Amino acid sequence: MFSYIVKRLLLMIPTLFGVMLVTFAVTQFVPGGPVEQMISQLEGKGRTGEAGSGTQGLYRGATGLDQERINEIRTLYGFDKPVYQRFIDMMKNYLSFNFGQSYFHNSSVIDLVVSKLPVSISLGVWTFFIVYLSCIPLGISKAIRDGSHFDVVTSTLILVGYAIPGFVLGITLLVLFGGGSFWDVFPLRGLVSDNWNSLDTFHKITDYLWHMTLPIIASVIGSFAVMTMLTKNSFIEEIRKQYVLTARAKGLTENKVLYRHVFRNAVIPLVTGFPGAFIGAFFTGSLLIETIFSLDGLGLLSYESVLKRDYPVVLGTLFLFTLLGLFARLLADISYVLIDPRIHFDSLAKK
């Protein structure tokens, strides 16, 4: 396994380099970059007479900004260097996890990501644990009772939930329980109340859970169907295999057959996706859910960064999340070996 892990770690280098190269090329040559936005902003202020003292002398009537000022703006954003030099400098900084400063937030990319993490972690981690802890037992129960009334009813309910987009469900929940036309039960915005710091520990916890109830429900419902049906189908496939019939013929009880023999093989597809889903729970933001419930998380940050062409944020977060994703895939492969003794990566690495 050691040689396989080393090989996979080495393969991460060209993969990461390729992802960053393609994305960098796309972002650098699309129109409407930060230089163009700054020029447009300054010229617009000059025309409307709203320019402050810091921009006086930059705008000269209908002629716009002179070339000297434009060159200063290009230098400010680092666009005075050749494209290849900008890419090399960027990758050198990224290797030391120096992602630079945001163009528009007056903050470093790392500080910006850290400041948005509480929202994304709250949504992602709660959704992750609720889905796994609920869907696996439900999927097992559906597999055991395949074709029964319980199976049909639960399948109908989870498929209906899957068909409802999360943002539609979020809006519905706000209308029903957020003080709209019906009941004023849950707050409309924010992760915690304004007086959260003055509350004691118990009320801090309850206030946080009170704010997160509706966003988590909107995030969880759509994920139930995939995980539940994957669990059910995986268990049904294993239950129909010959070794299960042999175990039953030996007189083992259904519980022993299910949890001693079937369970270990059936959970392989679920466990292998666990590392990626767990890491993604910390760094995945939902733009629509965050927008509906006024939560300032990574989803909203990513969307605004793309619109504003905030390249340090776009590229820095892409580098970080791609690196985490590659490690998550490696952990998923390692988990195969830990739960399935039939797989040996050492022999694969020698080929």
Side-chain angles (χ1 to χ4, degrees), residues 303-320:
Y303 176 71
E304 291 178 346
S305 299
V306 172
L307 288 183
K308 294 180 179 180
R309 306 293 196 270
D310 197 346
Y311 295 146
V313 177
V314 173
L315 295 170
T317 54
L318 177 67
F319 179 89
L320 181 61

Side-chain angles (χ1 to χ4, degrees), residues 18-29:
V19 171
M20 297 305 301
L21 179 61
V22 171
T23 308
F24 179 84
V26 172
T27 57
Q28 296 299 301
F29 295 103

Side-chain angles (χ1 to χ4, degrees), residues 208-240:
Y208 165 76
L209 295 176
W210 181 47
H211 280 76
M212 291 305 302
T213 299
L214 295 186
I216 291 172
I217 292 175
S219 300
V220 164
I221 296 298
S223 304
F224 263 81
V226 175
M227 184 60 63
T228 301
M229 299 310 294
L230 177 62
T231 304
K232 175 190 173 182
N233 294 334
S234 180
F235 270 81
I236 288 178
E237 182 181 356
E238 292 297 323
I239 289 173
R240 293 173 179 173

Side-chain angles (χ1 to χ4, degrees), residues 138 142 150-164 221 224-225:
L138 178 59
K142 288 173 61 64
F150 169 80
D151 181 39
V152 173
V153 171
T154 54
S155 294
T156 302
L157 292 176
I158 63 175
L159 289 176
V160 169
Y162 180 73
I164 301 175
I221 296 298
F224 263 81

Side-chain angles (χ1 to χ4, degrees), residues 116-291:
K116 309 297 183 182
L117 276 180
V119 170
S120 297
I121 290 177
S122 295
L123 286 174
V125 173
W126 280 113
T127 300
F128 171 82
F129 281 109
I130 291 174
V131 168
Y132 265 83
L133 294 177
S134 302
C135 292
I136 292 179
L138 178 59
I140 295 174
S141 299
K142 288 173 61 64
I144 297 173
R145 307 174 190 177
D146 184 34
S148 66
H149 181 70
F150 169 80
D151 181 39
V152 173
V153 171
T154 54
S155 294
T156 302
L157 292 176
I158 63 175
L159 289 176
V160 169
Y162 180 73
I164 301 175
F167 69 93
V168 174
L169 179 60
I171 294 173
T172 304
L173 292 173
L174 280 179
V175 172
L176 291 176
F177 303 106
S181 303
F182 297 90
W183 301 280
D184 186 7
V185 180
F186 296 99
L188 292 174
R189 57 188 301 118
L191 193 62
V192 293
S193 299
D194 294 335
N195 64 334
W196 189 78
N197 290 326
S198 63
L199 300 176
D200 56 55
T201 302
F202 174 77
H203 287 92
K204 283 183 177 180
I205 295 174
T206 55
D207 180 78
Y208 165 76
L209 295 176
W210 181 47
H211 280 76
M212 291 305 302
T213 299
L214 295 186
I216 291 172
I217 292 175
S219 300
V220 164
I221 296 298
S223 304
F224 263 81
V226 175
M227 184 60 63
T228 301
M229 299 310 294
L230 177 62
T231 304
K232 175 190 173 182
N233 294 334
S234 180
F235 270 81
I236 288 178
E237 182 181 356
E238 292 297 323
I239 289 173
R240 293 173 179 173
K241 290 184 177 179
Q242 185 64 41
Y243 74 88
V244 176
L245 297 177
T246 303
R248 287 171 176 168
K250 291 181 177 180
L252 294 179
T253 63
E254 283 298 317
N255 284 336
K256 288 185 178 180
V257 172
L258 182 64
Y259 294 105
R260 182 178 297 179
H261 297 280
V262 174
F263 187 83
R264 183 172 184 178
N265 294 324
V267 297
I268 291 177
L270 308 178
V271 173
T272 52
F274 186 93
F278 185 73
I279 292 177
F282 286 88
F283 298 99
T284 301
S286 174
L287 169 63
L288 294 175
I289 298 298
E290 291 176 10
T291 302

